[in-house]
Amino acid sequence: SGKLKLETLLKEGELKHDLVQRTKWGNKITVSHSAILSKDVEGNVMGIITIGTDITTLVETENKLAELNQFLEKRVVEKTEELAGLYDRISDVVIVLDNNWNYTYVNNNGL
């Protein structure tokens, strides 16, 4: 994998990737790495310039947000099913429209 990344860097002149690493205290952190080639005026590679940024908090926040979205999507499905059951028990006609005046639910009671 390291060889492939070096080949990519040499071919494209730049490379960006995220990597889970351990600190000297043993903590796992996620680091976003960026690297570019340093070249002389003739285009010969003189070295590689790299920078790493600790994005652990960002990754953790994104993961928590994804979990929350999954939870909320599940709750929307549950509440939608609950409302559909409620609407079916009503003896009158129930028509539900969205903000664009599209039908989202119609029960057949009372028709």
Side-chain angles (χ1 to χ4, degrees):
S1 175
K3 182 179 180 182
L4 180 61
K5 288 179 182 167
L6 181 58
E7 289 173 359
T8 301
L9 176 60
L10 292 172
K11 179 181 176 188
E12 298 179 11
E14 68 178 342
L15 178 67
K16 295 180 181 180
H17 68 280
D18 298 342
L19 187 63
V20 176
Q21 297 178 298
R22 287 201 180 272
T23 66
K24 63 182 177 181
W25 300 280
N27 301 328
K28 284 185 179 180
I29 62 171
T30 304
V31 179
S32 178
H33 290 277
S34 297
I36 60 169
L37 295 178
S38 174
K39 298 180 179 181
D40 64 16
V41 291
E42 284 101 31
N44 299 314
V45 175
M46 301 299 294
I48 300 171
I49 301 170
T50 66
I51 187 167
T53 305
D54 182 351
I55 60 167
T56 305
T57 303
L58 174 65
V59 171
E60 290 171 351
T61 302
E62 287 174 343
N63 290 340
K64 288 178 184 176
L65 183 59
E67 289 174 13
L68 180 59
N69 280 336
Q70 287 178 343
F71 171 77
L72 291 175
E73 287 173 6
K74 181 180 175 189
R75 292 289 291 155
V76 166
V77 169
E78 290 171 355
K79 289 298 179 185
T80 301
E81 290 171 356
E82 192 177 301
L83 284 174
L86 174 69
Y87 294 151
D88 287 337
R89 290 190 300 270
I90 296 174
S91 59
D92 295 327
V93 174
V94 176
I95 300 172
V96 180
L97 305 171
D98 65 14
N99 292 338
N100 296 318
W101 297 95
N102 297 312
Y103 291 97
T104 60
Y105 179 84
V106 177
N107 76 345
N108 291 325
N109 299 342
L111 290 178

